[in-house]
Amino acid sequence: MFKVAVIGASGLLGRALVDELAQQAGWQVVATAFSRPGPNTVALDIRDARAVEQFVEREAPDALVIAAAERRPDVCEHNPALARALNVDAVRSLATAATLRGAWTLSISTDYVFDGTHPPYQHDSAPAPLNAYGRSKLEGERALTESTDLGCVLRLPLLYGPIVDWAESAVTSLVPAIAASASREGKAAAMDAWAIRYPTFTPDVAFVIRQMLERHAHGDAIGGIVQWSGDEPMNKYEIAVRLAEALQLDAQLTPQPTPTDATPRPHNCHLASDRLEALGIGRRTSFDVAIRQVLAAFPWQGETAA
């Protein structure tokens, strides 16, 4: 029996990962959650180092995946203490506890560790985060590598996938404004056309992580830093256009050519996925196919009309 602990299993990526791992014969998944604990999850506040230690000691996983984080740039900017507690200190606590059990730890990081001026970025490119979120995730990467020799960092870009509410992903968070602009009294919705993003489907990421876990299960664990990314560049305006097409809405959308976010964001942080691809790891679903799967599973009409 191969046992995997998924930390942050109620989140956008965590749910996709639990769904993927639950299909593996001979694997056992222990899922934790904090803000949205469910019947099949263990309640765990990863800011509580003693609780983390007791959880890992009790469950004794073979591998641990940290999918919990504070990932909202504006929140991190205004509450750096919370960002540090979740993105740095908790990673150190989890990795330290896992090391005592001989478990492999995979920590999720972000393309925002780069400043976006010289893409594509390799796994060993020099980080230069522009905001508190990127800085906290970079510190989290270092916390992992300082705490264990049996660990790996997986950097990911903008994620989207099956949701429980529109705001879960920066992709689907555009839908209410798109729908409002398409209504009879609707005004045009301005959408950022400056920052280039690489939307990445969470079920594809879960597939990648499962492949990485399989290597560990077979005694060939991956270490250091790896990256995975979708390969379709688009800005939020272009994402919104494709969302409107998928929703069959006649939306009024206006491209905004300059950054409008209060928190600075990088221009283009394209992550090179070469290291994983060289190992035969990876899967990419096209955006138009994947986003239609997401929208088909979510009752958007009632939501946006409310």
Side-chain angles (χ1 to χ4, degrees):
M1 181 66 70
F2 183 66
K3 190 173 188 179
V4 182
V6 177
I7 310 300
S10 63
L12 184 71
L13 176 58
R15 293 194 310 273
L17 182 56
V18 169
D19 288 348
E20 174 70 31
L21 301 185
Q23 300 173 40
Q24 308 310 306
W27 287 30
Q28 181 183 354
V29 179
V30 181
T32 82
F34 174 64
S35 60
R36 291 181 292 201
N40 298 315
T41 57
V42 176
L44 179 66
D45 183 351
I46 60 173
R47 296 169 296 183
D48 184 339
R50 181 66 185 134
V52 164
E53 187 180 325
Q54 291 172 337
F55 166 78
V56 175
E57 190 174 320
R58 180 178 70 249
E59 298 295 342
D62 299 294
L64 189 146
V65 181
I66 308 172
E70 178 49 71
R71 59 177 181 79
R72 296 166 294 179
D74 294 342
V75 172
C76 292
E77 210 70 28
H78 294 111
N79 194 344
L82 174 64
R84 181 173 186 85
L86 288 171
N87 296 348
V88 185
D89 298 339
V91 172
R92 182 175 285 108
S93 298
L94 286 158
T96 299
T99 300
L100 292 173
R101 303 294 313 180
W104 182 70
T105 304
L106 179 65
S107 182
I108 304 301
S109 190
T110 174
D111 57 347
Y112 273 32
V113 299
F114 299 113
D115 63 11
T117 58
H118 294 93
Y121 290 94
Q122 303 294 328
H123 68 279
D124 56 356
S125 296
L130 292 179
N131 55 36
Y133 170 60
R135 288 191 292 272
S136 71
K137 293 300 284 184
L138 179 59
E139 284 189 63
E141 293 183 5
R142 291 168 178 162
L144 179 83
T145 56
E146 290 166 2
S147 303
T148 182
D149 293 326
L150 191 59
C152 184
V153 169
L154 172 60
R155 291 183 184 140
L156 300 170
L158 170 65
L159 298 180
Y160 72 100
I163 53 172
V164 296
D165 61 60
W166 293 124
E168 262 203 311
S169 164
V171 170
T172 52
S173 68
L174 304 178
V175 170
I178 293 168
S181 79
S183 67
R184 188 174 301 170
E185 300 83 20
K187 297 178 181 179
M191 295 286 172
D192 186 291
W194 177 78
I196 298 169
R197 313 300 294 273
Y198 288 79
T200 302
F201 193 38
T202 51
D204 288 345
V205 177
F207 184 88
V208 165
I209 293 173
R210 191 255 294 166
Q211 289 181 303
M212 296 177 69
L213 286 164
E214 284 175 340
R215 291 184 71 94
H216 170 54
H218 294 133
D220 191 19
I222 300 169
I225 296 172
V226 295
Q227 303 178 154
W228 186 256
S229 174
D231 59 0
E232 298 173 80
M234 58 188 93
N235 55 47
K236 280 193 177 180
Y237 171 76
E238 291 165 333
I239 291 172
V241 168
R242 290 164 80 161
L243 279 166
E245 290 172 355
L247 293 166
Q248 297 181 314
L249 290 175
D250 185 16
Q252 303 177 68
L253 303 172
T254 304
Q256 179 70 42
T258 55
T260 57
D261 293 303
T263 301
R265 284 162 167 78
H267 175 59
N268 182 353
C269 286
H270 186 207
L271 297 173
S273 307
D274 307 30
R275 195 171 168 221
L276 288 176
E277 289 170 338
L279 296 172
I281 290 175
R283 186 184 78 186
R284 291 185 178 93
T285 305
S286 75
F287 181 81
D288 289 333
V289 169
I291 199 62
R292 280 167 171 77
Q293 291 179 22
V294 172
L295 296 171
F298 198 72
W300 71 271
Q301 290 93 340
E303 286 285 327
T304 53

